[in-house]
Amino acid sequence: MNSLPFNIDSIRAEFPILHQQVNGHRLAFLDNAASSQRPDAVIDAVSHYYRNDHANVHRGVHHLSHRATDAYEGAREKIRAFINARSIREIVFTSGTTESINLLANSLGQTMQAGDEVIVSRMEHHSNIVPWKLLAERMGIVIKVAPINEQGELVLDELAKLFSAKTKLLAIAHVSNALGTINPVADIVALAKQHDVPVLLDGAQAVPHSKVDVQAIDCDFYAFSSHKMCGPTGIGVLYARESLLENMPLFMGGGEMVISVSFEKTIYNDLPYRFEAGTPPIAQAIGLGAAVDYLEGIGMDNIAAYEHQLLELATTALSDIDGLRIIGTAAEKAAVISFVFDDIHPHDLGTVLDHQGVAIRTGHHCANPVMDFFGVPGTARASLAFYNDAEDIEQLVKALHVAVGMFR
Ligand code: C6P
């Protein structure tokens, strides 16, 4: 690898989980697209909060509640700055990407009628298909699907043809979890704007790996999960352009999202709180704030540059293995490598690799339409993070040779 933008050994030292043996081997954790690992800074922030500051937020007059509220709202501001939203009013905390998209579907769905159209793409994760399918079943909206090509890239000319006067939303992945394809989201948003159609980007696989600037992209909605970007599980974000969020119908009701309630009249809270019913994931938000600090400390551009080098190293090494076929060869790719052998089932491969300390994901990756397009039941997927190193790739390649030897 060329000169590295950071000291990888120092980075790895900050992730305690990486330093263990699995099945008698050094752990090579290559399942980061499913969920990343956490550095000490995040583990410590969550632990410190529980040890010192925990109370419910926005409710108490007492000291701990103020401290917890400050830490929780401080995290919201960090996330706003991280994705360059204009205001914290645009940052809605959810439980993750899945809930962010469901929130949007259930809110915007109230403004749609039978026959209205939502455009998605063939490469979506089920989280960006099923919420729209539910609307289709419940109220007759129509889902239009933008095709992909053999490289796993969106066919933009075909996408352009799908817009009509009835299109109410374009909902599309920023980065595909199954293929690694990075979509040209700014161009896609510009296209949608020509038709006056708002755009939701599923950024679950983009935010952890590169700088995302929602104003530069000019999208209307952007969803992502904390647990894929070194933060805790159980929290995610829906960024929503304030002018749209302001007029969006409410979805979940309960405490926090109201200012006063009587049986005659309810006064709803300000943004973003009116979309956050109930006690929020406080420790998780604080942990996510710590993850943002940590990632920014390394620098998202450094992370992207390093992961790109790792991707090239791994792609070259895997391409040399007899019979291995990479699924997803887009020109613009994040550090995800899906692959198949015609004569070895992905699950068998995953099991043999695990016996050698190598963690990958196998199966359809919650992206059945992608698997159907490529005519495979599933793939083996190695997904990289900035704390992986060349030794992880060597271990993967060695383990694959062992597996090939066993099954042939
Ligand atoms: N993909 C994977 O192994 P949640 O579960 O809500 O945090 O994220 C859902 C989700 C939505 N969109 C994309 C593009 C995703 O990759 C994911 C999660 C994991 O690929 C688990 S299925």
Side-chain angles (χ1 to χ4, degrees), residues 246-294:
E246 196 99 69
N247 298 312
M248 270 168 48
L250 299 173
F251 165 43
M252 275 210 329
E256 270 295 278
M257 52 86 71
V258 283
I259 289 174
S260 78
V261 177
S262 72
F263 287 104
E264 289 73 37
K265 185 173 166 62
T266 306
I267 300 175
Y268 295 105
N269 206 340
D270 211 348
L271 292 179
Y273 311 108
R274 73 173 90 126
F275 287 96
E276 296 179 352
T279 298
I282 308 165
Q284 290 87 335
I286 291 165
L288 174 57
V292 163
D293 285 343
Y294 179 79

CSV table of all heavy atoms in Angstrom, one decimal, residues 246-294:
chain,number,residue,atom,x,y,z
A,246,GLU,N,-41.3,20.7,8.5
A,246,GLU,CA,-42.3,21.6,9.1
A,246,GLU,C,-43.7,21.2,8.8
A,246,GLU,O,-44.6,21.3,9.7
A,246,GLU,CB,-42.0,23.0,8.6
A,246,GLU,CG,-42.6,24.1,9.3
A,246,GLU,CD,-41.6,24.8,10.2
A,246,GLU,OE1,-40.7,25.4,9.7
A,246,GLU,OE2,-41.7,24.6,11.4
A,247,ASN,N,-43.9,20.8,7.6
A,247,ASN,CA,-45.3,20.5,7.1
A,247,ASN,C,-45.6,19.0,7.1
A,247,ASN,O,-46.7,18.6,6.6
A,247,ASN,CB,-45.5,21.1,5.7
A,247,ASN,CG,-45.3,22.6,5.8
A,247,ASN,OD1,-45.9,23.2,6.7
A,247,ASN,ND2,-44.5,23.1,4.9
A,248,MET,N,-44.7,18.2,7.5
A,248,MET,CA,-44.9,16.7,7.4
A,248,MET,C,-45.9,16.3,8.5
A,248,MET,O,-45.8,16.6,9.7
A,248,MET,CB,-43.6,15.9,7.6
A,248,MET,CG,-43.0,15.7,6.2
A,248,MET,SD,-41.3,15.1,6.3
A,248,MET,CE,-41.4,13.8,7.4
A,249,PRO,N,-46.9,15.4,8.2
A,249,PRO,CA,-47.8,14.9,9.2
A,249,PRO,C,-47.0,14.1,10.2
A,249,PRO,O,-46.0,13.4,9.9
A,249,PRO,CB,-48.7,13.9,8.3
A,249,PRO,CG,-48.6,14.4,6.9
A,249,PRO,CD,-47.2,14.9,6.8
A,250,LEU,N,-47.6,14.1,11.4
A,250,LEU,CA,-46.9,13.4,12.5
A,250,LEU,C,-47.1,11.9,12.4
A,250,LEU,O,-48.1,11.4,11.8
A,250,LEU,CB,-47.4,13.9,13.8
A,250,LEU,CG,-47.2,15.4,14.0
A,250,LEU,CD1,-47.9,15.9,15.3
A,250,LEU,CD2,-45.7,15.6,14.1
A,251,PHE,N,-46.2,11.1,13.0
A,251,PHE,CA,-46.3,9.7,12.9
A,251,PHE,C,-46.6,9.1,14.2
A,251,PHE,O,-47.6,8.5,14.5
A,251,PHE,CB,-45.0,9.2,12.2
A,251,PHE,CG,-44.7,7.7,12.3
A,251,PHE,CD1,-45.8,6.8,12.1
A,251,PHE,CD2,-43.5,7.2,12.6
A,251,PHE,CE1,-45.5,5.4,12.2
A,251,PHE,CE2,-43.2,5.9,12.7
A,251,PHE,CZ,-44.3,5.0,12.6
A,252,MET,N,-45.6,9.2,15.1
A,252,MET,CA,-45.8,8.5,16.4
A,252,MET,C,-46.2,9.6,17.5
A,252,MET,O,-45.7,10.6,17.5
A,252,MET,CB,-44.5,7.9,16.9
A,252,MET,CG,-44.4,6.5,16.3
A,252,MET,SD,-43.4,5.3,17.3
A,252,MET,CE,-42.3,6.2,18.2
A,253,GLY,N,-47.2,9.2,18.3
A,253,GLY,CA,-47.6,10.1,19.3
A,253,GLY,C,-47.2,9.6,20.7
A,253,GLY,O,-46.9,8.4,20.9
A,254,GLY,N,-47.0,10.6,21.6
A,254,GLY,CA,-46.6,10.2,23.0
A,254,GLY,C,-46.0,11.4,23.7
A,254,GLY,O,-46.2,12.6,23.2
A,255,GLY,N,-45.3,11.2,24.8
A,255,GLY,CA,-44.7,12.2,25.5
A,255,GLY,C,-43.6,12.8,24.6
A,255,GLY,O,-43.2,12.2,23.6
A,256,GLU,N,-43.0,14.0,25.0
A,256,GLU,CA,-41.9,14.6,24.3
A,256,GLU,C,-42.3,15.3,23.0
A,256,GLU,O,-41.7,16.3,22.7
A,256,GLU,CB,-40.8,13.6,23.9
A,256,GLU,CG,-39.7,13.4,24.9
A,256,GLU,CD,-38.9,14.6,25.1
A,256,GLU,OE1,-38.0,14.9,24.4
A,256,GLU,OE2,-39.2,15.3,26.1
A,257,MET,N,-43.3,14.7,22.3
A,257,MET,CA,-43.6,15.3,21.0
A,257,MET,C,-44.7,16.3,21.1
A,257,MET,O,-45.2,16.9,20.2
A,257,MET,CB,-43.9,14.3,19.9
A,257,MET,CG,-44.9,13.2,20.2
A,257,MET,SD,-46.6,13.7,19.9
A,257,MET,CE,-46.7,13.7,18.1
A,258,VAL,N,-45.2,16.5,22.4
A,258,VAL,CA,-46.3,17.5,22.6
A,258,VAL,C,-45.8,18.5,23.7
A,258,VAL,O,-45.0,18.3,24.5
A,258,VAL,CB,-47.5,16.8,23.2
A,258,VAL,CG1,-48.2,16.0,22.1
A,258,VAL,CG2,-47.2,15.8,24.3
A,259,ILE,N,-46.5,19.7,23.6
A,259,ILE,CA,-46.3,20.7,24.6
A,259,ILE,C,-47.4,20.6,25.7
A,259,ILE,O,-47.1,20.6,26.9
A,259,ILE,CB,-46.2,22.1,24.0
A,259,ILE,CG1,-44.9,22.2,23.2
A,259,ILE,CG2,-46.3,23.2,25.1
A,259,ILE,CD1,-44.7,23.5,22.5
A,260,SER,N,-48.6,20.4,25.2
A,260,SER,CA,-49.7,20.2,26.1
A,260,SER,C,-50.8,19.4,25.5
A,260,SER,O,-51.0,19.4,24.2
A,260,SER,CB,-50.3,21.6,26.6
A,260,SER,OG,-51.1,22.1,25.6
A,261,VAL,N,-51.5,18.7,26.3
A,261,VAL,CA,-52.5,17.7,25.8
A,261,VAL,C,-53.8,17.9,26.7
A,261,VAL,O,-53.7,17.9,27.9
A,261,VAL,CB,-52.0,16.3,25.9
A,261,VAL,CG1,-53.1,15.3,25.5
A,261,VAL,CG2,-50.8,16.0,25.1
A,262,SER,N,-54.9,18.1,26.0
A,262,SER,CA,-56.2,17.9,26.7
A,262,SER,C,-57.0,17.1,25.8
A,262,SER,O,-56.6,16.9,24.6
A,262,SER,CB,-56.8,19.3,27.0
A,262,SER,OG,-57.3,19.8,25.8
A,263,PHE,N,-58.2,16.7,26.2
A,263,PHE,CA,-59.0,15.9,25.3
A,263,PHE,C,-59.6,16.8,24.2
A,263,PHE,O,-60.1,16.3,23.2
A,263,PHE,CB,-60.1,15.1,26.1
A,263,PHE,CG,-59.4,14.0,26.9
A,263,PHE,CD1,-59.2,14.0,28.2
A,263,PHE,CD2,-59.0,12.8,26.2
A,263,PHE,CE1,-58.5,13.0,28.9
A,263,PHE,CE2,-58.3,11.8,26.8
A,263,PHE,CZ,-58.1,11.9,28.2
A,264,GLU,N,-59.5,18.1,24.4
A,264,GLU,CA,-60.1,19.0,23.4
A,264,GLU,C,-59.0,19.4,22.4
A,264,GLU,O,-59.2,19.5,21.2
A,264,GLU,CB,-60.6,20.3,24.1
A,264,GLU,CG,-61.9,20.1,24.8
A,264,GLU,CD,-61.7,19.3,26.1
A,264,GLU,OE1,-60.7,19.6,26.8
A,264,GLU,OE2,-62.5,18.5,26.5
A,265,LYS,N,-57.7,19.6,22.9
A,265,LYS,CA,-56.7,20.2,22.1
A,265,LYS,C,-55.3,19.7,22.4
A,265,LYS,O,-55.0,19.7,23.6
A,265,LYS,CB,-56.8,21.7,22.2
A,265,LYS,CG,-55.9,22.5,21.2
A,265,LYS,CD,-56.2,24.0,21.4
A,265,LYS,CE,-55.1,24.8,20.7
A,265,LYS,NZ,-55.0,24.7,19.3
A,266,THR,N,-54.5,19.4,21.4
A,266,THR,CA,-53.1,19.0,21.7
A,266,THR,C,-52.2,20.1,21.0
A,266,THR,O,-52.5,20.4,19.8
A,266,THR,CB,-52.8,17.6,21.1
A,266,THR,OG1,-53.8,16.7,21.6
A,266,THR,CG2,-51.4,17.2,21.4
A,267,ILE,N,-51.2,20.5,21.7
A,267,ILE,CA,-50.3,21.4,21.1
A,267,ILE,C,-49.0,20.7,20.9
A,267,ILE,O,-48.4,20.2,21.9
A,267,ILE,CB,-50.0,22.7,22.0
A,267,ILE,CG1,-51.4,23.4,22.1
A,267,ILE,CG2,-49.0,23.6,21.3
A,267,ILE,CD1,-51.3,24.6,23.0
A,268,TYR,N,-48.5,20.6,19.7
A,268,TYR,CA,-47.3,19.8,19.4
A,268,TYR,C,-46.1,20.5,19.6
A,268,TYR,O,-46.0,21.8,19.5
A,268,TYR,CB,-47.4,19.2,18.0
A,268,TYR,CG,-48.6,18.2,17.9
A,268,TYR,CD1,-49.8,18.6,17.2
A,268,TYR,CD2,-48.6,17.0,18.5
A,268,TYR,CE1,-50.8,17.7,17.1
A,268,TYR,CE2,-49.7,16.1,18.4
A,268,TYR,CZ,-50.8,16.5,17.8
A,268,TYR,OH,-51.9,15.7,17.7
A,269,ASN,N,-45.0,19.8,19.9
A,269,ASN,CA,-43.7,20.4,20.2
A,269,ASN,C,-43.1,21.0,18.9
A,269,ASN,O,-43.5,20.7,17.8
A,269,ASN,CB,-42.8,19.3,20.8
A,269,ASN,CG,-41.7,19.9,21.7
A,269,ASN,OD1,-41.4,21.1,21.6
A,269,ASN,ND2,-41.2,19.1,22.6
A,270,ASP,N,-42.0,21.6,19.1
A,270,ASP,CA,-41.2,22.2,18.0
A,270,ASP,C,-40.5,21.1,17.3
A,270,ASP,O,-40.4,20.0,17.7
A,270,ASP,CB,-40.2,23.2,18.7
A,270,ASP,CG,-39.9,24.4,17.8
A,270,ASP,OD1,-40.3,24.3,16.6
A,270,ASP,OD2,-39.3,25.3,18.2
A,271,LEU,N,-39.8,21.5,16.2
A,271,LEU,CA,-38.9,20.5,15.5
A,271,LEU,C,-37.6,20.5,16.3
A,271,LEU,O,-37.2,21.5,16.8
A,271,LEU,CB,-38.6,21.0,14.1
A,271,LEU,CG,-39.8,21.0,13.1
A,271,LEU,CD1,-39.3,21.6,11.7
A,271,LEU,CD2,-40.3,19.6,12.9
A,272,PRO,N,-37.0,19.3,16.3
A,272,PRO,CA,-37.3,18.0,15.7
A,272,PRO,C,-38.2,17.2,16.6
A,272,PRO,O,-38.5,16.1,16.3
A,272,PRO,CB,-36.0,17.4,15.5
A,272,PRO,CG,-35.2,17.9,16.6
A,272,PRO,CD,-35.6,19.3,16.9
A,273,TYR,N,-38.5,17.7,17.9
A,273,TYR,CA,-39.0,16.9,18.9
A,273,TYR,C,-40.4,16.3,18.6
A,273,TYR,O,-40.7,15.2,19.1
A,273,TYR,CB,-39.0,17.7,20.2
A,273,TYR,CG,-37.7,18.4,20.5
A,273,TYR,CD1,-37.6,19.7,20.4
A,273,TYR,CD2,-36.6,17.6,20.8
A,273,TYR,CE1,-36.4,20.4,20.6
A,273,TYR,CE2,-35.4,18.2,21.0
A,273,TYR,CZ,-35.3,19.6,20.9
A,273,TYR,OH,-34.0,20.2,21.0
A,274,ARG,N,-41.1,17.0,17.7
A,274,ARG,CA,-42.5,16.4,17.5
A,274,ARG,C,-42.4,15.1,16.7
A,274,ARG,O,-43.4,14.5,16.5
A,274,ARG,CB,-43.4,17.5,16.9
A,274,ARG,CG,-43.1,17.8,15.4
A,274,ARG,CD,-44.2,18.7,14.9
A,274,ARG,NE,-43.8,20.1,15.0
A,274,ARG,CZ,-43.8,21.0,14.0
A,274,ARG,NH1,-44.1,20.6,12.8
A,274,ARG,NH2,-43.4,22.2,14.3
A,275,PHE,N,-41.2,14.8,16.2
A,275,PHE,CA,-41.0,13.5,15.6
A,275,PHE,C,-40.3,12.5,16.5
A,275,PHE,O,-39.9,11.4,16.0
A,275,PHE,CB,-40.3,13.6,14.2
A,275,PHE,CG,-41.2,14.3,13.2
A,275,PHE,CD1,-41.1,15.7,12.9
A,275,PHE,CD2,-42.1,13.5,12.5
A,275,PHE,CE1,-41.9,16.3,12.0
A,275,PHE,CE2,-42.9,14.1,11.5
A,275,PHE,CZ,-42.9,15.5,11.3
A,276,GLU,N,-40.2,12.8,17.7
A,276,GLU,CA,-39.4,11.9,18.6
A,276,GLU,C,-40.2,11.6,19.9
A,276,GLU,O,-39.9,12.1,21.0
A,276,GLU,CB,-38.1,12.6,19.1
A,276,GLU,CG,-37.1,12.9,17.9
A,276,GLU,CD,-35.8,13.6,18.4
A,276,GLU,OE1,-35.7,14.0,19.5
A,276,GLU,OE2,-34.9,13.7,17.5
A,277,ALA,N,-41.3,10.9,19.7
A,277,ALA,CA,-42.2,10.5,20.8
A,277,ALA,C,-41.5,9.6,21.8
A,277,ALA,O,-40.8,8.7,21.4
A,277,ALA,CB,-43.5,9.9,20.3
A,278,GLY,N,-41.7,9.8,23.1
A,278,GLY,CA,-41.2,8.9,24.1
A,278,GLY,C,-39.8,9.2,24.5
A,278,GLY,O,-39.1,10.1,24.0
A,279,THR,N,-39.3,8.5,25.6
A,279,THR,CA,-37.9,8.7,26.1
A,279,THR,C,-37.0,8.3,25.0
A,279,THR,O,-37.0,7.2,24.5
A,279,THR,CB,-37.7,7.9,27.4
A,279,THR,OG1,-38.6,8.4,28.4
A,279,THR,CG2,-36.3,8.0,27.8
A,280,PRO,N,-36.1,9.2,24.6
A,280,PRO,CA,-35.2,8.9,23.5
A,280,PRO,C,-34.0,8.0,23.9
A,280,PRO,O,-33.8,7.8,25.1
A,280,PRO,CB,-34.7,10.3,23.1
A,280,PRO,CG,-34.7,11.1,24.3
A,280,PRO,CD,-35.9,10.6,25.2
A,281,PRO,N,-33.2,7.5,23.0
A,281,PRO,CA,-32.0,6.7,23.3
A,281,PRO,C,-30.9,7.7,23.7
A,281,PRO,O,-30.1,8.0,22.9
A,281,PRO,CB,-31.8,6.0,22.0
A,281,PRO,CG,-32.4,6.9,20.9
A,281,PRO,CD,-33.5,7.6,21.5
A,282,ILE,N,-30.9,8.0,25.0
A,282,ILE,CA,-30.0,9.1,25.4
A,282,ILE,C,-28.5,8.7,25.4
A,282,ILE,O,-27.7,9.3,24.8
A,282,ILE,CB,-30.3,9.5,26.9
A,282,ILE,CG1,-31.8,9.8,27.0
A,282,ILE,CG2,-29.5,10.7,27.3
A,282,ILE,CD1,-32.4,9.9,28.4
A,283,ALA,N,-28.2,7.6,26.0
A,283,ALA,CA,-26.8,7.1,26.0
A,283,ALA,C,-26.3,6.8,24.6
A,283,ALA,O,-25.1,7.1,24.3
A,283,ALA,CB,-26.7,5.8,26.9
A,284,GLN,N,-27.2,6.3,23.8
A,284,GLN,CA,-26.8,6.0,22.4
A,284,GLN,C,-26.5,7.3,21.7
A,284,GLN,O,-25.5,7.3,20.9
A,284,GLN,CB,-28.0,5.2,21.7
A,284,GLN,CG,-28.2,3.8,22.3
A,284,GLN,CD,-29.1,3.8,23.5
A,284,GLN,OE1,-29.3,4.8,24.2
A,284,GLN,NE2,-29.8,2.7,23.7
A,285,ALA,N,-27.3,8.3,21.9
A,285,ALA,CA,-27.0,9.6,21.2
A,285,ALA,C,-25.6,10.1,21.6
A,285,ALA,O,-24.8,10.6,20.8
A,285,ALA,CB,-28.1,10.6,21.5
A,286,ILE,N,-25.4,10.0,22.9
A,286,ILE,CA,-24.1,10.5,23.4
A,286,ILE,C,-22.9,9.7,22.9
A,286,ILE,O,-21.9,10.2,22.5
A,286,ILE,CB,-24.1,10.5,25.0
A,286,ILE,CG1,-25.1,11.6,25.5
A,286,ILE,CG2,-22.7,10.7,25.6
A,286,ILE,CD1,-25.5,11.5,26.9
A,287,GLY,N,-23.1,8.4,22.8
A,287,GLY,CA,-22.1,7.5,22.2
A,287,GLY,C,-21.9,7.9,20.7
A,287,GLY,O,-20.8,7.9,20.2
A,288,LEU,N,-23.0,8.2,20.0
A,288,LEU,CA,-22.9,8.5,18.6
A,288,LEU,C,-22.1,9.9,18.5
A,288,LEU,O,-21.3,10.0,17.6
A,288,LEU,CB,-24.3,8.6,18.0
A,288,LEU,CG,-24.4,9.2,16.5
A,288,LEU,CD1,-23.5,8.3,15.6
A,288,LEU,CD2,-25.8,9.2,16.0
A,289,GLY,N,-22.4,10.8,19.4
A,289,GLY,CA,-21.7,12.0,19.4
A,289,GLY,C,-20.2,11.8,19.5
A,289,GLY,O,-19.3,12.4,18.9
A,290,ALA,N,-19.8,10.8,20.4
A,290,ALA,CA,-18.4,10.5,20.7
A,290,ALA,C,-17.8,9.8,19.4
A,290,ALA,O,-16.7,10.1,19.0
A,290,ALA,CB,-18.3,9.6,21.9
A,291,ALA,N,-18.6,9.0,18.7
A,291,ALA,CA,-18.2,8.4,17.5
A,291,ALA,C,-17.9,9.5,16.4
A,291,ALA,O,-16.9,9.4,15.7
A,291,ALA,CB,-19.2,7.4,17.0
A,292,VAL,N,-18.7,10.4,16.3
A,292,VAL,CA,-18.5,11.5,15.4
A,292,VAL,C,-17.2,12.3,15.7
A,292,VAL,O,-16.4,12.5,14.8
A,292,VAL,CB,-19.8,12.5,15.4
A,292,VAL,CG1,-19.4,13.8,14.7
A,292,VAL,CG2,-21.0,11.8,14.7
A,293,ASP,N,-17.0,12.6,17.0
A,293,ASP,CA,-15.8,13.2,17.4
A,293,ASP,C,-14.6,12.4,16.9
A,293,ASP,O,-13.6,12.9,16.4
A,293,ASP,CB,-15.7,13.4,18.9
A,293,ASP,CG,-16.6,14.5,19.4
A,293,ASP,OD1,-17.0,15.4,18.5
A,293,ASP,OD2,-16.9,14.6,20.6
A,294,TYR,N,-14.7,11.1,17.2
A,294,TYR,CA,-13.6,10.2,16.9
A,294,TYR,C,-13.3,10.1,15.4
A,294,TYR,O,-12.2,10.3,14.9
A,294,TYR,CB,-13.9,8.8,17.4
A,294,TYR,CG,-12.9,7.8,17.1
A,294,TYR,CD1,-11.7,7.7,17.9
A,294,TYR,CD2,-13.0,6.9,16.1
A,294,TYR,CE1,-10.7,6.8,17.6
A,294,TYR,CE2,-12.0,6.0,15.8
A,294,TYR,CZ,-10.8,5.9,16.6
A,294,TYR,OH,-9.8,5.1,16.3
